[in-house]
Amino acid sequence: MVSFTPFPTLETPRLVLRELVPADAEAIFRIQSNPEVVRYFGRAAHATLAETEKLLGTVFDAQRDVTAIRWVLSLKDTGELAGTCGFWRWNKPHRCSEIGYELAPEYWGRGLMVEALRPILRYGFTEMELHRVEATIDPENQASRRVLEKLGFKRDALMRENWFHDGKFTDSAIYGLLEQEFLSGAP
């Protein structure tokens, strides 16, 4: 049985992927309160630190209950928090989970999210015994689409006008990656 205790810290050439802690709230708030970061999230940017703290409470509860896990992307050279990523909506009987991520704008375009998601996906497929990982994105989010495609995800579906935010309906693109595709290294 999978346990997130102790928390599985992972490393890449430029990152330490570590546990999210309450002291990270202000750094996460700076990211979650940026309208450009949440532009495609289908929700408003956080207006208060309390909103971010509530979100973190949900993450902490899910990790304690072993239903989701989220890592901080911490830069090795400075220790700065660049973003977070992890698994949620874990459907254990069907060995499927959704992946989610966000990155502070000053780190966009550097390949950090692809670098972070590789070991996290490996962890999901090998330690959590996932068979499939899904990602749901706004089809207009070209940067997120490129991240997923670099990792081998394939677009499986387009859900037309399934999300209502900011006075309009938007589409959702569903991407999927299977265990054998990832572990075989097939892009």
Side-chain angles (χ1 to χ4, degrees):
M1 174 170 275
V2 175
S3 171
F4 300 143
T5 305
F7 189 87
T9 300
L10 307 170
E11 289 193 31
T12 73
R14 298 181 289 172
L15 300 167
V16 174
L17 305 168
R18 65 163 175 82
E19 185 172 12
L20 185 63
V21 296
D24 294 323
E26 286 190 28
I28 299 294
F29 173 67
R30 281 192 296 278
I31 296 170
Q32 293 285 334
S33 64
N34 185 317
E36 282 302 302
V37 172
V38 302
R39 177 179 174 189
Y40 299 111
F41 283 19
R43 65 161 173 82
H46 286 183
T48 66
L49 181 60
E51 286 179 274
T52 302
E53 290 169 337
K54 182 178 178 184
L55 173 69
L56 295 183
T58 302
V59 171
F60 300 146
D61 290 347
Q63 282 182 189
R64 184 194 62 243
D65 297 342
V66 193
T67 59
I69 184 169
R70 196 144 196 100
W71 285 265
V72 164
L73 281 67
S74 177
L75 299 177
K76 271 188 178 176
D77 58 351
T78 66
E80 288 179 70
L81 188 153
T84 74
C85 59
F87 297 107
W88 66 306
R89 294 186 180 165
W90 185 9
N91 186 326
K92 292 178 185 180
H94 296 286
R95 297 177 51 202
C96 181
S97 187
E98 187 170 340
I99 199 162
Y101 45 86
E102 76 280 330
L103 196 61
E106 59 267 30
Y107 301 109
W108 291 355
R110 298 184 188 183
L112 288 174
M113 193 53 71
V114 171
E115 182 177 323
L117 291 176
R118 284 189 205 287
I120 287 169
L121 287 165
R122 180 166 303 284
Y123 179 88
F125 288 125
T126 60
E127 301 301 319
M128 295 168 64
E129 299 180 350
L130 296 174
H131 172 73
R132 176 183 168 84
V133 174
E134 296 178 351
T136 303
I137 66 169
D138 186 313
E140 294 182 16
N141 189 343
Q142 297 302 311
S144 190
R145 177 191 53 80
R146 285 191 299 274
V147 165
L148 295 172
E149 289 175 349
K150 286 178 184 177
L151 293 163
F153 281 79
K154 306 284 187 259
R155 187 166 124 173
D156 291 335
L158 178 69
M159 306 295 286
R160 297 177 303 129
E161 296 186 6
N162 70 321
W163 198 258
F164 188 79
H165 172 68
D166 206 21
K168 65 180 180 176
F169 286 98
T170 60
D171 299 341
S172 295
I174 312 299
Y175 284 76
L177 179 65
L178 302 179
E179 176 185 20
Q180 66 268 22
E181 293 169 336
F182 180 78
L183 295 178
S184 71

